[in-house]
Amino acid sequence: MLIWFVVLYLVVSIGIGLYAATRVHSAKDFAVAGRHLPLPVVTATVFATWFGAEAVFGVSATFVKEGLRGVVADPFGSSLCLIIAGFFFSTQLYKFNILTLGDYYRLRYNRTVEVLTTLCIVASYLGWVSAQIKALGLVFSVVTDGAVSQTAGMILGAAIVLTYTTLGGMLSVAILDFVQMGVIMGGMLYIGHLVSGMTGGVAPVIDHASAAGKLDFFPPPDPWQWLTFIGAWVTMMLGSIPQQDVFQRITSAKSARIAVWGSILGGSIYFCFTFVPMFIAYSATLIDPGLFKGLLETDSQLVLPTLVLQHTPVFAQAIFFGAVLAAIMSCSSATLLAPSVAFSENIVRGFFPGMADRQFMWVMRASIVVFACIVLSFALWSNASIFKMVENAYKVTLAGAFVPLFFGAFWKRATTQGSLAAIVGGLTSWLLIEVLVSGAGGTGTVANGDYAYALVGIGQAVPPQLIGLGVSMLGMIAGSLLPQWVGRPIPQEDLHAALHHRAAAETHHAEHLHKHPPR
């Protein structure tokens, strides 16, 4: 019964996605759903941005092992990211009527900055989407009691998500997010209700977690522990702002006002609701301490599904795994779409500026297929946990893409030369220290001399991505204030007017090419 319910749910989801695909008539429909989504749909799709594999399996398992301090990145950093991004995108970028973040980098700076930042954004999705595919494999394996291996489950899950995402784009994603949000919330709350009945209510679970120190949020007064704590928080909160999927979901709204409120509501609901799977997973340690202690030592990601399979009726199992599949599919579809759209718009299209709208849609679809294959390969190869795959995904955008985006919007003196210095300096310093620390194997010693030894010591005390962020800021400021050798600064007296003029000119040129394609 459980297997057939899952199959039925997948068939219905694919059907909804394929129906939405019949309403996609242009690249704008495919990339940002035509920018006509109402507030309820925007709220649902922003909520689904983060509520995926890491929220259900990764965050809950990490909380059981490390407590609130271990989940500072998600949900604390990620929910704040959605709210900050909503204000930023709606007030600074929505009016430019652009498809991708890379378009803004091109308008504000130049083509080189567009390409470099787009590559950073695309690379950051490798770990994130792989985490979703890995979770789909885990679900299929658990539901079939091992009849479908995790490897086969990953392949099957990737194929299902690829089908409706390739055909329907953002419109399919948005409609499915709206439907699946109801399934997610209803299913998780129902399981939470059942589990609370087994533990004697919510209060005993909270009291037990508090006594075990799991509700301690802030680290002890140790500056190095605080740096690690802040590094995890900032990486998710700021590093995930220059992300194409967040941008697409927010700017798909039919007005800037809806974009703001959709992001605030979606981020707030996400923050509150993530505590439901945390509560369910921690309840397992009270319901069957012996069994779940062993799982914590082997694979803590199995705590939640094992609890549901062994301690709830079949109907509850069907509800739970339906909700889990809804969460993972809604999250993975958009995160598969986003890097593919960014790569097509900001890398491929630059080499073929005369491409017609219909040809561009097929380029985006081909990019989705290629990226899905790469992601699947990475998911099959990587041994990292779901939570760690997500947490590590945004180091590259924090070091390489965040500073040019925010300084470009709020500092009129930011220049192309400054942005290039920020990108190169941030990425180089982050990668250098990350590689040296990894090479040291955590021992703090390397065989490359005193300079490398000092870098390793710094990298072990301060998160490398924070060092990259700091160097990126210095590069932006110094590169913008020094004599300009690269690019021409946009006139400071009317920066937004100049950007509007550029955006309008590009839009007019694109419309002209669509009506009169080159022979």
Side-chain angles (χ1 to χ4, degrees), residues 315-470:
F315 175 74
Q317 295 172 23
I319 294 294
F320 171 78
F321 285 105
V324 169
L325 283 173
I328 298 172
M329 289 171 63
S330 62
C331 188
S332 57
S333 56
T335 49
L336 187 61
L337 174 69
S340 306
V341 170
F343 181 80
S344 303
E345 166 74 5
N346 303 115
I347 305 295
V348 177
R349 197 168 199 169
F351 294 103
F352 304 97
M355 191 186 305
D357 191 74
R358 184 164 294 276
Q359 292 175 314
F360 182 56
M361 281 180 58
W362 282 108
V363 169
M364 286 192 285
R365 285 171 169 153
S367 298
I368 292 173
V369 174
V370 173
F371 191 73
C373 294
I374 296 172
V375 162
L376 179 60
S377 301
F378 184 77
L380 293 171
W381 167 80
S382 177
N383 293 320
S385 70
I386 291 171
F387 187 81
K388 284 299 178 185
M389 290 174 81
V390 171
E391 190 178 30
N392 291 333
Y394 299 113
K395 293 179 179 179
V396 59
T397 44
L398 181 68
F402 174 76
V403 168
L405 181 66
F406 258 63
F407 274 64
F410 296 113
W411 191 39
K412 290 185 177 182
R413 301 188 67 177
T415 65
T416 299
Q417 180 172 284
S419 67
L420 289 172
I423 295 167
V424 175
L427 288 176
T428 303
S429 57
W430 164 62
L431 285 171
L432 177 63
I433 297 175
E434 193 85 56
V435 169
L436 286 173
V437 170
S438 299
T443 62
T445 58
V446 288
N448 295 324
D450 294 336
Y451 178 68
Y453 179 84
L455 286 178
V456 170
I458 294 171
Q460 290 177 334
V462 182
Q465 69 271 21
L466 280 189
I467 297 173
L469 176 63

Side-chain angles (χ1 to χ4, degrees), residues 36-54:
H36 56 63
L37 298 182
L39 179 61
V41 179
V42 174
T43 301
T45 197
V46 169
F47 167 81
T49 302
W50 290 105
F51 202 89
E54 79 296 340

Side-chain angles (χ1 to χ4, degrees), residues 105 112-113 116-117 120 399-401 404 418-428 472:
Y105 287 111
T112 304
V113 175
L116 291 176
T117 51
C120 288
S419 67
L420 289 172
I423 295 167
V424 175
L427 288 176
T428 303
S472 183

Side-chain angles (χ1 to χ4, degrees), residues 121-350:
I121 292 170
V122 171
S124 71
Y125 279 98
L126 186 60
W128 174 267
V129 188
S130 297
Q132 313 309 314
I133 300 300
K134 202 164 190 174
L136 283 173
L138 178 66
V139 170
F140 287 131
S141 178
V142 170
V143 166
T144 60
D145 197 22
V148 175
S149 67
Q150 287 199 30
T151 298
M154 283 189 260
I155 297 171
L156 176 62
I160 292 170
V161 173
L162 180 63
T163 299
Y164 67 80
T165 306
T166 303
L167 295 175
M170 189 62 201
L171 195 58
S172 288
V173 170
I175 293 174
L176 276 171
D177 284 350
F178 183 70
V179 173
Q180 291 171 335
M181 183 178 177
V183 177
I184 293 165
M185 299 187 75
M188 286 294 173
L189 289 174
Y190 176 67
I191 295 298
H193 172 70
L194 287 182
V195 169
S196 67
M198 301 177 199
T199 59
V202 176
V205 180
I206 295 176
D207 292 340
H208 189 279
S210 179
K214 301 297 182 181
L215 301 186
D216 297 338
F217 182 63
F218 294 107
D222 181 337
W224 306 120
Q225 290 192 43
W226 269 93
L227 277 173
T228 302
F229 178 80
I230 293 171
W233 196 338
V234 167
T235 299
M236 193 70 84
M237 181 173 64
L238 301 183
S240 51
I241 287 177
Q243 288 297 321
Q244 179 62 22
D245 66 313
V246 179
F247 173 79
Q248 280 179 210
R249 290 172 186 265
I250 293 174
T251 56
S252 294
K254 61 183 179 181
S255 71
R257 181 179 176 83
I258 288 176
V260 171
W261 282 106
S263 64
I264 293 173
L265 291 172
S268 302
I269 294 171
Y270 171 77
F271 176 77
C272 297
F273 204 74
T274 309
F275 287 92
V276 176
M278 280 193 246
F279 166 78
I280 298 171
Y282 194 80
S283 298
T285 61
L286 279 71
I287 295 170
D288 194 342
L291 172 64
F292 293 107
K293 183 180 179 181
L295 285 177
L296 286 174
E297 294 173 355
T298 54
D299 189 351
S300 58
Q301 294 171 153
L302 291 174
V303 168
L304 192 53
T306 303
L307 170 68
V308 173
L309 282 174
Q310 297 196 6
H311 294 275
T312 62
V314 174
F315 175 74
Q317 295 172 23
I319 294 294
F320 171 78
F321 285 105
V324 169
L325 283 173
I328 298 172
M329 289 171 63
S330 62
C331 188
S332 57
S333 56
T335 49
L336 187 61
L337 174 69
S340 306
V341 170
F343 181 80
S344 303
E345 166 74 5
N346 303 115
I347 305 295
V348 177
R349 197 168 199 169

